[in-house]
């Protein structure tokens, strides 16, 4: 897995330094510091627009298709995201 620093600019996982493995069917995700916002439909999230996920919640999953198109932004400075491609 990898810990990613989420920024104030809407970014893909690749922009943040994570390549979804070719064998991954989904990506396990956990927000580890400060809330994030994310979208899947091509619109850029903002600090107040998009799906919201808070730090400290249980890990969740994005399908491979979602992981390849997600755009992510920090809601406050210092957001961290733990991600890992899962093949099963």
């Amino acid at each position: 897995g990898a810990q990613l620093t989420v920024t104030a600019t809407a970014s893909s996982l690749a922009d943040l330094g994570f390549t979804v493995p070719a064998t991954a069917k989904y990506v396990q995700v956990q927000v580890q510091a400060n809330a994030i916002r994310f979208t899947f439909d091509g619109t850029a999230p903002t600090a107040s627009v998009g799906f919201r996920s808070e730090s400290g919640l249980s890990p969740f999953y994005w399908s491979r298709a979602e992981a390849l198109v997600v755009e992510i932004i920090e809601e406050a400075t210092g957001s961290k995201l733990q991600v890992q491609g899962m093949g099963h």
Side-chain angles (χ1 to χ4, degrees):
Q3 186 179 71
L4 310 177
T5 299
V6 182
T7 68
T9 301
S11 304
S12 67
L13 288 175
D15 293 337
L16 297 175
F18 180 75
T19 300
V20 178
T23 57
K25 294 182 179 178
Y26 55 92
V27 174
Q28 186 172 20
V29 180
Q30 185 178 39
V31 180
Q32 295 188 326
N34 296 334
I36 64 165
R37 297 276 182 159
F38 57 93
T39 60
F40 299 109
D41 64 359
T43 60
T46 69
S48 61
V49 174
F51 293 101
R52 185 175 193 269
S53 187
E54 294 183 15
S55 175
L57 300 178
S58 296
F60 55 95
Y61 301 91
W62 288 329
S63 70
R64 177 179 183 75
E66 290 169 332
L68 291 173
V69 300
V70 69
E71 292 286 324
I72 308 160
I73 196 168
E74 65 185 5
E75 196 173 272
T77 302
S79 296
K80 300 282 187 193
L81 192 63
Q82 184 73 28
V83 295
Q84 181 171 338
M86 307 295 284
H88 48 276

